[in-house]
Amino acid sequence: QVQLVESGGGLVQPGGSLRLSCAASGSIFSIYDMGWYRQAPGKQRELVAAITSGGRTNYADSVKARFTISRDNAENTVYLQMNSLKPEDTAVYICNADRRPVTYWGRGTQVTVSS
């Protein structure tokens, strides 16, 4: 069992930055592939960025060159650094831990990009 708790969301102006954190507990964090998803009102949940247990990353095309995912296995935490934020980045950002066939989800943190 893995518990995931996100933090760092909030209201930011277009062009601003936020850093999201996802703290994991309850299992061996380093063996999980970690991901950040987001879900906007009326839209499907989508993958934003992911990092494997080995450190390989991938990003949605819409956030490439603006967002950076990283992990600190000593702190059991995964981060999402978000720069040059746009109004269309507004969503609930949700952390995921995956080691198939098992997957875990956090409750999410709201990010609102608005002037």
Side-chain angles (χ1 to χ4, degrees), residues 38 46-49 58-67 86 89:
R38 66 186 180 188
E46 62 173 351
L47 176 66
V48 176
N58 70 284
Y59 298 90
D61 287 344
S62 60
V63 307
K64 280 180 181 176
R66 298 190 298 124
F67 291 11
K86 305 175 181 180
D89 294 318

Side-chain angles (χ1 to χ4, degrees), residues 59-81:
Y59 298 90
D61 287 344
S62 60
V63 307
K64 280 180 181 176
R66 298 190 298 124
F67 291 11
T68 303
I69 189 170
S70 61
R71 65 190 298 161
D72 185 336
N73 289 338
E75 295 293 328
N76 288 358
T77 302
V78 62
Y79 303 97
L80 185 67
Q81 177 67 43

Side-chain angles (χ1 to χ4, degrees), residues 34-46:
M34 301 298 297
W36 284 99
Y37 289 71
R38 66 186 180 188
Q39 188 162 18
K43 294 188 176 181
Q44 287 190 330
R45 185 174 295 186
E46 62 173 351

